[in-house]
Amino acid sequence: MSSVIAEGLRKVYRSEGVIALDGVSFSITPGEAVAVIGPSGAGKTTLFRILTRTIPLESGRVEIDGVDLYRAGYLFLGSVRRRIGLVYQRHNLVTELSALQNAAMGMIGCCSTWRAIKSLAVGLSGEERRIVEEALGKVGLTGKGEVRASNLSGGEQQRLAIARLLVQNPDLVLADEPVASIDPSSSQRIMEVFKELNEEGKTIICNLHDVELALSYFPRIIAISQGRLVFDGPPSKLTAAVLTEIYRGGREAHADETAEPCICVERLARRGLEQPAN
Ligand code: ADP
């Protein structure tokens, strides 16, 4: 279980002169599950990069489990990062290795690097193999352990990345578009795994393109639009009017574009949260 506090986050990409985040603040208590939504270019990925301190921050503060991320020395930073499980749209698998070996890589995050390397080189102990196979089973990859990752479908590869996350067993899951461009049944399965992880007490923060999934699986929604936090609350408060406001703010809208007066949730979901059209 991890707590996350963001205070007045401001990020400017100076090369482009873009204010990607402008005073974003929120507080997430241990064991919460939060979906981050917003139009393309809103600043969601930038927020995830800041929550892991992978890019510099102009001003503001990120605190994870009481550690001020941008002031922490590398020792503290390393100990915080080991408790974070990251999932990206690109799964970062080693495609030449088997599914089993890829999932076992999750041990790099939860035990010593030496033990993890030894496991890959010499083979997994009985207990390690049980953990990895259980993880593969949870994501629907039972029996695929010996298959090379490159021979798995896109949806299976992403589920394998989730199995690796399960082996890592992090306190906090940060998932940036984990189900973009994969098949609906894999998406559902991944959402179910996140739900189970949350029920076990893990904190989950998930950037989602698909608002329907966000509303179905997450009790709290944070919406970002044009670098600002524009909504923070339960799905029941995310009305069509609020959604229209959120998606009207897309950076990629042309100056003469206007949002439709009312956009229903289902329609936004069907459209994959594109900009409202004229
Ligand atoms: P989202 O994830 O919501 O689509 P991003 O965080 O990727 O949004 O981007 C927010 C804004 O910052 C966009 O205008 C984008 O073009 C810009 N941006 C993102 N990354 C960079 C970068 N490395 N350099 C310059 N501009 C960037």
Side-chain angles (χ1 to χ4, degrees), residues 57-222:
L57 181 64
E58 251 62 49
S59 55
R61 204 169 69 92
V62 178
E63 204 180 276
I64 295 184
D65 292 337
V67 176
D68 187 333
L69 219 56
Y70 278 82
R71 285 176 176 243
Y74 278 97
L75 218 57
F76 264 125
L77 190 61
S79 79
V80 172
R81 280 184 175 151
R82 270 192 291 282
R83 297 201 299 275
I84 302 178
L86 297 170
V87 187
Y88 301 100
Q89 188 175 342
R90 286 174 55 84
H91 33 68
N92 300 325
L93 300 171
V94 183
T95 49
E96 294 77 21
L97 295 182
S98 70
L100 199 84
Q101 288 169 317
N102 269 284
M105 296 257 187
M107 285 189 280
I108 291 171
C110 64
C111 64
S112 74
T113 307
W114 165 243
R115 196 176 136 210
I117 291 168
K118 189 197 112 225
S119 300
L120 289 173
V122 181
L124 300 170
S125 70
E127 174 61 5
E128 287 166 345
R129 200 176 174 93
R130 190 195 62 72
I131 292 170
V132 172
E133 283 179 347
E134 189 181 303
L136 289 173
K138 278 191 181 161
V139 299
L141 291 177
T142 303
K144 300 251 181 185
E146 300 307 326
V147 178
R148 264 168 74 127
S150 56
N151 291 335
L152 296 173
S153 71
E156 286 173 333
Q157 289 186 355
Q158 188 62 318
R159 282 188 275 137
L160 177 54
I162 303 298
R164 184 180 56 194
L165 176 91
L166 292 174
V167 171
Q168 183 191 345
N169 192 24
D171 294 330
L172 169 64
V173 174
L174 293 180
D176 188 11
E177 296 284 6
V179 295
S181 37
I182 60 169
D183 59 285
S185 79
S186 288
S187 299
Q188 296 280 351
R189 186 121 203 178
I190 288 168
M191 288 296 111
E192 290 295 336
V193 171
F194 282 178
K195 198 170 161 202
E196 280 169 32
L197 282 173
N198 182 240
E199 282 162 4
E200 287 168 17
K202 320 275 188 208
T203 307
I204 318 264
I205 308 177
C206 183
N207 173 7
L208 277 177
H209 210 61
D210 185 330
V211 83
E212 200 170 54
L213 281 183
L215 298 179
S216 307
Y217 285 95
F218 289 85
R220 178 174 169 194
I221 310 284
I222 283 178

Side-chain angles (χ1 to χ4, degrees), residues 226-277:
Q226 293 193 317
R228 292 172 181 269
L229 190 147
V230 290
F231 177 85
D232 184 353
S236 59
K237 297 264 164 62
L238 201 58
T239 60
V242 175
L243 276 169
T244 304
E245 272 309 304
I246 294 167
Y247 287 94
R248 183 173 19 213
R251 262 179 239 270
E252 288 162 10
H254 298 296
D256 60 349
E257 259 185 0
T258 51
E260 290 173 346
C262 179
I263 298 174
C264 71
V265 172
E266 288 79 4
R267 191 163 147 226
L268 267 170
R270 260 206 317 277
R271 292 172 48 160
L273 300 191
E274 292 164 4
Q275 288 299 310

Side-chain angles (χ1 to χ4, degrees), residues 13 16 18 20 39-46 49 251:
Y13 291 110
E16 312 288 326
V18 174
S40 182
K44 305 181 297 296
T45 295
T46 300
R49 289 184 188 140
R251 262 179 239 270

